[in-house]
Amino acid sequence: MSYFAINFKHLRTLKGFSQEQMAEELGITRSRVGSYEEGRSEPPLDLLSRISDYFKLPIDAMVKNNLSKVSDTSFINIGNQRILFPITVNEENEDLIEIVPNKATAGYLNGYDDPEYIEQLEKIKLPFLPSGKHRTFPIKGDSMLPVKDGSYIVARYVEDIQDIKNGNTYVILTLNEGIVYKRIRFTENPETLMLHSDNRNYQPYEIHKKDILELWEFTCCINTQEYDESELKISSIAQMLQELGVELEQLKKL
């Protein structure tokens, strides 16, 4: 099934164009625009290529994927003819965030560049998030305490690796490691980064920037487990922060 008719009309609407304006932009008649949008005919290859260039979308994405839930025309080009649909919406026009479930983390490495795989992921809405494309990732293990095993990190997509902030935490999709959540620190080598765990029992390790497939900056954490009473004691929290190398004057006074 081709989604071209649905997508062409939706993309025109996102631009705020009438059929006449769209026709003028593409150098065709209004009747042809109407015919394509109603599915009565499809554009020849040369025109399809021109439409693809105009919207800065691969032809495959326009034909094989339903873009009608995308609320923005500024698709993110992430190389190799791959795009990231910036924000999807529900029927109430509320922003939605894809959730990568625990059981699907292994498949994400194979499906992260497949729009059909991403489209079938469950979605949630979190109205308090800042602007940007967000996705939710599961956390395994205790390497990033106090973030617990089974928690979810909501993170914003980073388009340019040069925008990394030294010392911040990121969800990183790597060629060899799959999905990891770590604190990134710069190295003397401009081609590498050092990934640190907040739990000092885990040693940091170096990765090459070229091995990073996707990079998502921490926005918020969703815990799925209650904290034990002992974990909520001020003394336990202070000890944990000290082990992480955090110094807080307020804690010293308690």
Side-chain angles (χ1 to χ4, degrees), residues 143 197-203 242-246:
S143 68
S197 299
D198 283 350
N199 184 339
R200 295 295 178 86
N201 290 325
Y202 293 85
Q203 294 298 313
Q242 287 170 358
E243 288 174 355
L244 298 178
V246 177

Side-chain angles (χ1 to χ4, degrees), residues 37-79:
E37 290 186 356
E38 294 164 16
R40 291 184 282 109
S41 64
E42 293 191 347
L45 185 58
D46 61 331
L47 179 56
L48 184 59
S49 178
R50 196 155 79 244
I51 294 171
S52 168
D53 290 341
Y54 180 81
F55 287 109
K56 296 181 174 58
L57 283 168
I59 291 176
D60 273 4
M62 296 197 66
V63 174
K64 295 182 179 180
N65 299 279
N66 186 349
L67 309 181
S68 63
K69 293 185 178 180
V70 177
S71 64
D72 195 337
T73 58
S74 58
F75 299 92
I76 302 170
N77 185 345
I78 47 183

Side-chain angles (χ1 to χ4, degrees), residues 141-199:
D142 63 351
S143 68
M144 291 299 286
L145 290 175
V147 177
K148 284 193 165 190
D149 179 49
S151 299
Y152 282 83
I153 296 296
V154 181
R156 180 185 60 82
Y157 182 73
V158 179
E159 294 187 48
D160 191 336
I161 201 169
Q162 302 305 320
D163 293 334
I164 291 175
K165 301 178 182 70
N166 189 39
N168 283 14
T169 61
Y170 294 83
V171 174
I172 309 148
L173 180 65
T174 67
L175 192 60
N176 300 313
E177 299 285 335
I179 298 174
V180 297
Y181 174 53
K182 298 294 179 185
R183 192 172 299 279
I184 292 181
R185 298 198 186 279
F186 297 155
T187 68
E188 294 182 0
N189 183 349
E191 301 303 318
T192 66
L193 296 167
M194 192 67 72
L195 302 189
H196 289 256
S197 299
D198 283 350
N199 184 339

Side-chain angles (χ1 to χ4, degrees), residues 139 141 147-151 222-228 231:
I139 298 303
V147 177
K148 284 193 165 190
D149 179 49
S151 299
I222 302 173
N223 282 324
T224 58
Q225 302 176 44
E226 244 188 309
Y227 282 97
D228 296 334
E231 292 177 303

Side-chain angles (χ1 to χ4, degrees), residues 217-247:
E217 185 176 15
F218 173 91
T219 295
C220 68
C221 175
I222 302 173
N223 282 324
T224 58
Q225 302 176 44
E226 244 188 309
Y227 282 97
D228 296 334
E229 185 179 349
S230 62
E231 292 177 303
L232 295 176
K233 290 181 179 177
I234 291 295
S235 58
S236 298
I237 296 172
Q239 181 181 354
M240 178 188 67
L241 292 174
Q242 287 170 358
E243 288 174 355
L244 298 178
V246 177
E247 293 186 6

